[in-house]
Amino acid sequence: MRIALFITCVNDTLFPDTGRAVVRLLERLGHEVVFPSGQTCCGQMHYNTGYRRPAARLAVRFVQTFDGADAVVVPSASCAAMVRKHYPKLGRTGSRLSRRMADLGPRVYDLTEFLVDVLQVTDVGAYYPRKVVYHPTCHGLRFLGLGDRPYRLLRAVRGLELLELPGATECCGFGGTFAVKNDDVSAAMGFDKARHAVETGAEVLCAVDNSCLMHIGGTLSRQRSGMRIAHIAEILASTEKEYATL
Amino acid sequence: MSSATFLGMPPFPEAARSAVADSRARHNLHKATHTIRGKRDTVIDELGDDWQHLRAEGEAVKTHTLRHLDHYLEKLEESVQHAGGTVHWAADATEANAIVTRLVERTGESEVVKVKSMATQEIELNNALEAAGITAYETDLAELIVQLGEDLPSHILVPAIHLGRAQIREIFLDKMAEWGVPAPEGLTDDPRALAEAARVHLRELFLRAKVAVSGANFAVADTGTLVVLESEGNGRMCLTMPETLISVVGIEKIVPTWSDLEVFMQLLPRSSTGERMNPYTSSWTGVTPGDGPQDFHLVLLDNGRTDVLADTVGRQALRCIRCSACLNICPVYERTGGHAYGSVYPGPIGAILGPQLRGMSSEVDRALPYASTLCGACYDVCPVAIDIPEVLVHLREQVTSTDAPLGEKAMMAGAEAVFGSSMALDAVQRAAGVVRGAVPEHLPGLAGKWTDTRDVPDIPKGSFRSWWHEREEGR
């Protein structure tokens, strides 16, 4: 299958390792990955902060870039949710644009749902000998309804010990511009999330969204906790051979 | 004796700062909200798929009623009048307060007992009555604590949720005597002892009062029946013993028929106290000769509700049945408590309802739509499926379209320019790759709000797209 990768602006700029992991993983599973080079940002930050018109312009750009794709894979649940759930509301009701957006939406997948639902694999042949906790991000959990898909993928990873994260379904406190607009509350929520994770004794906290991980990881790092963060793609991409280089 | 007011409170981020720093309040709130959450989950899980059916039915009834509100309001008026009650229409808080004050003055009484009521809190009725020389006694236990403590409510269902029992004991010992029967000497902070002190204090008021003021959870248009759900029985005392009863009810509280009411009798207790059924449900229809209050007045309150109804996205907030499930699940509310929201309606529902009712002109109201991470937990638990995140974003759009902070506006425009072309984004990424080693641990300005508590991630040498293009060229 020919898969169009929407890397997202955050991953592209700050977490290229995640993008490389997605490419490695999908190619290892025998699929062709393309990267439409006109892509930039889905407009989620603008939309969520109340800047609807810039968000709509970025949405148009996204639709033009990915229009013909069979499947668009996104290593970020919140960006996938932006395209699938919110784009159809951005065009005028009944307009050609909103129809195109509604048409593209169902073909846009978070990485984990693409693996489990479309490619129908849970054992992707990964090896990752670490104690890991999974933080279900809000957009993955409540907006996309990822359910147990990420857990099924992680449980099939050889060497990986999946620990239970207390208070898992509670938001980490990132919330986009919330993190700076309401920094005290954001920090308090991040602190509690980090504390719950550290108390499990896990070495790595993983999730399907690097923006949440940037917040939790920034908190863990400031606390000198020794716990590291990893996007789930990086865990699923690693094998015995590649593990040494990670 | 005086009543506190939310007027003059700082906007949410500032109010939240001191709230987050109060570790005792945070401990109390964590414990209380998680306890109610657990109880709610149990009584909702036991319903299985039925819960979602009930929820859809509740949403449908409310949506239908709001769509035909003009019809049902007139129907309600007709039914109440037919049953011997008098109906008054109040466009805003000032009108409602004037009507209630006039009605109390007409009885010649200078005191009223009150049933827990959000509508009368919203219009600050107690302050208006006080200005007219009338004392309003709150009889709901938590409202009583808040009133005695000259405090403000911080939760819709449990207004004193921010107080521990030791604090409540202090308030009872200090203040009860000013208002009536004093607290017994040697009062301990044992919950039973505190409840008994309140019971003795309130009993004297119930026996004495000639006038009661209430709100209502529901108003059945078909029969003109008002309904109050409560736990303590104090509401029932107020609703049955006095000679005159004045009920102040928001116009969105209508349900068409008793069979519609049946849906909410299942939705509300499970969502609010986590019970299958609440201990006391009182319903009354106009006046019944020889039984209960012989003079009944219904004050129908608009106070911004028709403005909310005119907003096609925002109007879903009017479906709210004040259960508090969204407060109890909200991770932001759990850490800030209710006072930070600067209104009688705190939490997620308060962040969408308050600004709409009041009109988004104050700093407080313009900050509230941002008092959320948009995590969506509130929408999940809402028994009438109010999509709170959707309304929050909608209200944020109203904030930015009128008077957005200049710095933020510039940042958003800058981001759009960068994201407007992949070449511009590539250029910014390359520049970032050059300065990557020189990013200080603590940044100034808005970025400092991040680095105060969190490290910034290491900026990579190259972006994903530069790696991809190099790889493609190498093939």
Side-chain angles (χ1 to χ4, degrees):
Chain A
M1 187 185 247
R2 200 156 178 266
I3 301 157
L5 172 64
F6 174 51
I7 184 64
T8 82
C9 61
V10 167
N11 288 328
D12 186 8
T13 310
L14 294 172
F15 302 97
D17 284 344
T18 297
R20 284 191 277 270
V22 174
V23 174
R24 205 160 62 236
L25 172 64
L26 293 175
E27 289 180 348
R28 189 174 77 215
L29 294 171
H31 303 281
E32 185 192 349
V33 179
V34 294
F35 179 77
S37 61
Q39 64 177 279
T40 57
C41 163
C42 68
Q44 186 189 177
M45 177 182 75
H46 287 93
Y47 178 79
N48 281 349
T49 314
Y51 292 82
R52 186 188 182 90
R53 265 182 278 175
R57 288 192 286 268
L58 290 166
V60 169
R61 181 180 183 85
F62 182 95
V63 172
Q64 284 166 348
T65 308
F66 288 98
D67 215 1
D70 298 329
V72 181
V73 167
V74 192
S76 159
S78 63
C79 302
M82 174 68 197
V83 176
R84 204 190 294 166
K85 300 279 173 188
H86 301 317
Y87 273 16
K89 291 185 277 187
L90 284 174
R92 259 196 313 279
T93 314
S95 68
R96 194 165 154 267
L97 180 64
S98 73
R99 278 205 304 277
R100 277 174 77 191
M101 287 168 170
D103 179 53
L104 180 61
R107 285 177 283 136
V108 176
Y109 303 93
D110 159 75
L111 175 68
T112 62
E113 58 183 356
F114 183 74
L115 291 169
V116 176
D117 296 352
V118 182
L119 300 184
Q120 305 203 333
V121 287
T122 45
D123 185 351
V124 295
Y127 171 75
Y128 196 80
R130 289 273 184 258
K131 289 181 187 166
V132 174
V133 283
Y134 172 73
H135 165 60
T137 66
C138 300
H139 283 85
L141 183 71
R142 284 180 277 267
F143 289 72
L144 294 182
L146 293 183
D148 65 354
R149 291 175 186 81
Y151 294 99
R152 284 159 67 193
L153 290 160
L154 288 169
R155 282 194 203 106
V157 174
R158 282 191 309 286
L160 187 149
E161 189 184 343
L162 188 61
L163 302 175
E164 198 187 329
L165 178 64
T169 58
E170 190 168 291
C171 177
C172 71
F174 172 64
T177 50
F178 179 85
V180 289
K181 277 177 172 283
N182 280 289
D183 52 316
D184 295 276
V185 185
S186 174
M189 289 166 69
F191 186 90
D192 288 345
K193 181 61 73 179
R195 179 169 53 80
H196 284 311
V198 169
E199 281 171 3
T200 63
E203 299 152 273
V204 178
L205 178 141
C206 78
V208 291
D209 217 315
N210 270 330
S211 41
C212 309
L213 286 174
M214 183 169 71
H215 168 70
I216 304 168
T219 306
L220 287 167
S221 158
R222 179 62 58 88
Q223 293 172 353
R224 306 292 182 259
S225 69
M227 183 178 218
R228 55 169 295 229
I229 53 158
H231 191 284
I232 195 168
E234 293 170 45
I235 292 175
L236 298 177
S238 78
T239 58
E240 276 93 340
K241 196 177 115 211
E242 288 149 333
Y243 183 76
T245 64
L246 272 177
Chain B
M1 293 192 292
S2 68
S3 303
T5 171
F6 280 102
L7 269 179
M9 297 235 346
F12 188 82
E14 200 182 315
R17 186 163 303 133
S18 45
V20 164
D22 184 344
S23 56
R24 182 161 76 161
R26 263 176 73 183
H27 174 81
N28 288 350
L29 271 169
H30 175 88
K31 206 172 147 195
T33 55
H34 282 252
T35 303
I36 309 181
R37 262 185 225 181
K39 287 174 68 182
R40 177 201 167 270
D41 289 351
T42 306
V43 295
I44 276 156
D45 291 348
E46 72 182 12
L47 291 182
D49 293 343
D50 275 358
W51 176 252
Q52 290 306 333
H53 296 147
L54 271 173
R55 186 177 184 241
E57 188 61 27
E59 175 188 2
V61 169
K62 281 284 180 180
T63 303
H64 166 85
T65 312
L66 289 167
R67 182 169 285 264
H68 304 287
L69 194 57
D70 52 342
H71 166 75
Y72 288 115
L73 278 168
E74 287 184 349
K75 176 78 192 155
L76 176 69
E77 180 183 40
E78 189 192 309
S79 304
V80 169
Q81 284 170 346
H82 185 72
T86 310
V87 177
H88 309 259
W89 299 84
D92 55 25
T94 311
E95 272 189 34
N97 286 330
I99 292 167
V100 178
T101 306
R102 199 179 65 234
L103 289 171
V104 178
E105 282 172 341
R106 220 168 61 188
T107 65
E109 293 295 312
S110 61
E111 57 182 34
V112 302
V113 285
K114 283 187 70 201
V115 185
K116 178 170 169 21
S117 144
M118 294 308 294
T120 61
Q121 292 279 11
E122 175 189 325
I123 61 176
E124 300 197 328
L125 175 67
N126 293 8
N127 293 4
L129 290 174
E130 193 182 312
I134 300 162
T135 308
Y137 294 93
E138 294 291 349
T139 68
D140 171 84
L141 178 56
E143 291 284 10
L144 171 70
I145 295 163
V146 168
Q147 183 176 42
L148 293 176
E150 293 174 28
D151 202 344
L152 289 162
S154 69
H155 189 279
I156 292 174
L157 177 74
V158 198
I161 197 168
H162 57 291
L163 297 172
R165 59 191 200 188
Q167 291 161 291
I168 294 167
R169 172 182 169 271
E170 296 281 312
I171 291 169
F172 279 10
L173 285 171
D174 283 357
K175 296 287 182 179
M176 266 187 173
E178 275 180 47
W179 290 77
V181 176
E185 270 178 56
L187 177 67
T188 68
D189 66 2
D190 171 47
R192 288 180 67 96
L194 293 172
E196 181 61 15
R199 188 172 169 277
V200 171
H201 179 83
L202 290 169
R203 187 57 51 113
E204 195 246 343
L205 291 171
F206 293 138
L207 294 171
R208 194 174 79 201
K210 299 279 189 286
V211 183
V213 174
S214 85
N217 293 102
F218 304 101
V220 185
D222 212 17
T223 56
T225 306
L226 297 193
V227 184
V228 162
L229 283 73
E230 46 138 359
S231 298
E232 298 163 4
N234 292 339
R236 166 121 0 133
M237 299 288 255
C238 294
L239 294 166
T240 52
M241 294 182 69
E243 292 160 10
T244 300
L245 172 60
I246 305 163
S247 300
V248 183
V249 179
I251 54 173
E252 83 284 21
K253 294 284 149 205
I254 296 190
V255 294
T257 66
W258 277 77
S259 49
D260 297 317
L261 177 66
E262 177 249 4
V263 175
F264 296 99
M265 291 301 297
Q266 297 175 73
L267 287 171
L268 182 52
R270 287 177 198 265
S271 298
S272 64
T273 48
E275 295 167 301
R276 293 172 181 154
M277 196 180 190
N278 52 295
Y280 290 89
T281 300
S282 302
S283 61
W284 66 102
T285 309
V287 171
T288 306
D291 183 13
Q294 296 298 294
D295 189 16
F296 169 60
H297 297 269
L298 170 61
V299 183
L300 287 168
L301 176 72
D302 184 338
N303 205 32
R305 284 160 176 77
T306 48
D307 294 335
V308 184
L309 200 54
D311 185 322
T312 54
V313 178
R315 65 169 62 141
Q316 56 187 306
L318 294 180
R319 295 205 293 261
C320 175
I321 56 173
R322 314 283 189 261
C323 71
S324 308
C326 64
L327 278 64
N328 299 331
I329 197 75
C330 178
V332 175
Y333 176 87
E334 184 190 322
R335 285 165 184 86
T336 65
H339 293 160
Y341 293 79
S343 131
V344 289
Y345 300 113
I349 187 63
I352 62 168
L353 193 57
Q356 291 198 90
L357 287 175
R358 293 185 294 267
M360 315 255 313
S361 55
S362 72
E363 284 284 311
V364 167
D365 286 326
R366 297 167 70 77
L368 282 176
Y370 292 96
S372 165
T373 63
L374 307 179
C375 84
C378 48
Y379 176 37
D380 267 14
V381 298
C382 178
V384 286
I386 301 169
D387 191 340
I388 294 176
E390 181 186 36
V391 181
L392 286 166
V393 169
H394 175 67
L395 297 178
R396 291 176 185 191
E397 284 162 10
Q398 292 180 17
V399 173
T400 63
S401 64
T402 51
D403 189 21
L406 288 177
E408 180 185 290
K409 226 170 171 171
M411 190 189 88
M412 290 292 166
E416 198 200 349
V418 170
F419 297 138
S421 106
S422 52
M423 278 157 67
L425 178 56
D426 187 49
V428 168
Q429 288 167 340
R430 283 174 197 281
V434 172
V435 301
R436 56 189 289 267
V439 177
E441 195 177 338
H442 293 278
L443 296 167
L446 200 59
K449 302 264 187 196
W450 181 275
T451 56
D452 277 351
T453 52
R454 292 154 287 208
D455 288 343
V456 285
D458 293 333
I459 295 174
K461 279 189 200 124
S463 65
F464 174 80
R465 78 179 58 230
S466 63
W467 172 80
W468 176 272
H469 291 310
E470 278 164 32
R471 191 178 90 130
E472 290 299 286
E473 279 159 22
R475 284 190 166 186

